[in-house]
Amino acid sequence: MQFSDKNILIVGASSGIGLATARLLHGLGASLYTASRHQSAELAELSTTFLPLDVTQPFGTALDGLPEVLHGVVYCPGNIKLRPFERIPVEDFRGDFELNVLGAVQVLQASMKRLKKAGGASVVLFSTVAADTGMAFHASIATSKAAVEGLTRALAAEYAASGVRVNAVAPSLTNTPLAAALLNTPEKAEASAKRHPLQRIGEPEDLAYMASFLLSDHGSFITGQVLPVDGGMGRLK
């Protein structure tokens, strides 16, 4: 995969999957534009154009620094709040929706003219295995990520004629800072690994490789798909 002639925006690149994707694409020669509330020390080591952005707030001119042509957008923000349904305030459902769905909507509305100018661009969103596989205590995150999957298919249909592909990646539990509380003891990590048919949890690089493939010319005939990267959890027993 080569990205030496491509401008890529990664939203939520300061850590976890977004950072792993930024590192991979940087190594493949992409011109990277990264946006998040804060620039981490790890992200600062890469040669990216950093744009401060809080996706839960009105954007204003936050993305005006993007180039005239964008070849790809990756939207990575997310959270993990697992609680019994009766203990989840409506405000938390609303917050998850704003972060996962409306944030992506704002980013893509601000980027779409630039993407259409590329003559072949790619958008990668992130869902979760829990959107398609019922899991206890996942009501809020599964609800918002299911909306991401609907958005993925709708936009893929709307922009196919413009040469903009839209896909989503659906991971299971991944070893990122967001999942730290679920993996902070050897016992928790082992139990989580055993729930996967492949007997391990995901690593950020597993998702970064899939996202990069979808962004690349090798994925040029793929759109409107939700691709699981979940160690078999969503389909195998």
Side-chain angles (χ1 to χ4, degrees):
M1 293 186 291
Q2 294 296 322
F3 288 86
S4 57
D5 60 343
K6 295 183 184 297
N7 299 320
I8 308 293
L9 169 64
I10 305 177
V11 181
S14 59
S15 66
I17 295 168
L19 178 60
T21 305
R23 284 173 170 159
L24 178 57
L25 292 175
H26 177 265
L28 293 171
S31 296
L32 291 180
Y33 296 78
T34 58
S36 57
R37 285 179 293 179
H38 307 288
Q39 185 179 33
S40 65
E42 295 86 354
L43 181 59
E45 293 176 356
L46 305 178
S47 56
T48 79
T49 299
F50 178 72
L51 306 171
L53 179 68
D54 183 344
V55 298
T56 65
Q57 302 297 322
F59 280 20
T61 60
L63 295 182
D64 284 0
L66 290 173
E68 184 176 347
V69 178
L70 270 179
H71 300 89
V73 173
V74 186
Y75 186 84
C76 300
N79 54 16
I80 301 176
K81 297 179 181 178
L82 307 184
R83 279 177 288 175
F85 172 69
E86 294 178 25
R87 289 172 48 195
I88 305 175
V90 170
E91 290 76 13
D92 283 5
F93 276 91
R94 186 175 293 113
D96 281 349
F97 194 85
E98 288 177 352
L99 178 66
N100 291 291
V101 185
L102 299 184
V105 166
Q106 288 194 84
V107 167
L108 294 178
Q109 286 183 336
S111 304
M112 195 55 70
K113 288 183 180 179
R114 296 174 168 92
L115 289 166
K116 288 193 289 186
K117 288 180 180 179
S122 175
V123 173
V124 179
L125 306 178
F126 278 88
S127 181
T128 171
V129 64
D132 191 54
T133 302
M135 295 182 175
F137 311 124
H138 285 68
S140 184
I141 189 65
T143 298
S144 63
K145 291 297 193 179
V148 169
E149 295 189 4
L151 179 66
T152 296
R153 297 183 180 101
L155 295 184
E158 186 167 345
Y159 290 102
S162 299
V164 179
R165 298 180 292 107
V166 186
N167 295 287
V169 178
S172 60
L173 185 62
T174 306
N175 185 19
T176 67
L178 284 178
L182 303 175
L183 301 169
N184 58 8
T185 69
E187 293 77 15
K188 287 182 180 179
E190 182 180 2
S192 294
K194 288 182 176 179
R195 284 195 287 271
H196 293 74
L198 289 181
Q199 299 293 290
R200 72 171 178 88
I201 63 170
E203 294 294 334
E205 292 74 16
D206 295 321
L207 287 306
Y209 278 115
M210 176 60 81
S212 298
F213 171 76
L214 291 171
L215 290 168
S216 77
D217 293 339
H218 295 300
S220 63
F221 202 50
I222 303 172
T223 194
Q225 304 302 310
V226 178
L227 299 167
V229 182
D230 61 6
M233 177 178 279
R235 290 290 182 268
L236 306 180
K237 299 293 184 183

